[in-house]
C-alpha cells in the first residue's frame, strides 16, 4: 500500500466510490443468491459468482488508496442503509423519522472517519 496516496483528496474520493461500489455489488450479489435459492436459476448462480468475484477484486484494489478499516466500515454502513431502503421500498419496513435521523447521523460519522483518516 502506498502511504503517500492515503489521505489525499483523490484517494478519499476513490475510497468513497469504492465503498458505494462494494455496497452495490453486495446488494446485487445477495439478490442473485436469493433468486438462485428460490428458483435454482443457473444464470443467477453464475451471475452471483461473477458479482462476488468482482466484489473481491474491488475490495482488494481499494486497499491501495485507503485503510482496511475505513473501507470495511464504510462498505458495511452503506450496505445496511441500502438494505433498509430496499425493505422500505418493498413495503417490508417503514422508514420513520427516527430511523432516517439515525441513518443521516451514521453517514455523517462515516464521513468524519473517512475524511480524517
Amino acid at each position: 500500500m502506498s502511504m503517500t496516496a492515503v489521505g489525499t483528496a483523490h484517494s478519499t474520493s476513490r475510497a468513497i466510490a469504492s465503498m458505494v461500489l462494494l455496497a452495490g455489488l453486495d446488494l446485487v450479489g445477495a439478490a442473485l443468491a436469493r433468486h438462485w435459492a428460490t428458483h435454482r436459476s443457473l444464470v443467477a448462480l453464475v451471475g452471483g459468482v461473477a458479482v462476488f468475484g468482482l466484489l473481491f477484486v474491488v475490495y482488494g484494489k481499494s486497499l491501495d488508496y485507503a485503510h482496511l478499516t475505513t473501507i470495511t466500515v464504510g462498505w458495511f454502513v452503506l450496505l445496511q442503509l441500502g438494505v433498509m431502503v430496499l425493505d422500505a421500498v418493498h413495503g417490508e419496513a417503514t422508514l420513520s423519522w427516527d430511523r432516517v435521523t439515525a441513518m443521516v447521523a451514521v453517514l455523517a460519522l462515516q464521513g468524519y472517519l473517512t475524511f480524517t483518516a
Side-chain angles (χ1 to χ4, degrees):
M1 178 169 77
S2 171
M3 293 305 289
T4 58
V6 175
T8 65
H10 184 61
S11 65
T12 300
S13 63
R14 290 177 76 180
I16 292 170
S18 292
M19 292 175 212
V20 171
L21 183 58
L22 287 167
L25 288 170
D26 205 345
L27 284 172
V28 169
L32 288 169
R34 184 176 185 182
H35 185 74
W36 177 79
T38 56
H39 301 295
R40 297 293 186 222
S41 166
L42 184 60
V43 172
L45 176 64
V46 172
V49 169
V51 166
F52 281 115
L54 180 60
L55 183 140
F56 181 79
V57 170
V58 170
Y59 189 43
K61 285 296 199 182
S62 68
L63 300 179
D64 287 343
Y65 44 84
H67 296 288
L68 176 71
T69 53
T70 303
I71 293 293
T72 305
V73 171
W75 170 17
F76 176 74
V77 166
L78 293 174
L79 177 63
Q80 292 302 315
L81 295 176
V83 168
M84 289 176 66
V85 169
L86 285 177
D87 281 348
V89 167
H90 287 95
E92 298 173 11
T94 58
L95 283 181
S96 59
W97 285 107
D98 57 339
R99 287 184 177 209
V100 172
T101 303
M103 290 166 66
V104 169
V106 167
L107 281 174
L109 291 170
Q110 178 59 38
Y112 172 78
L113 289 174
T114 301
F115 292 119
T116 60

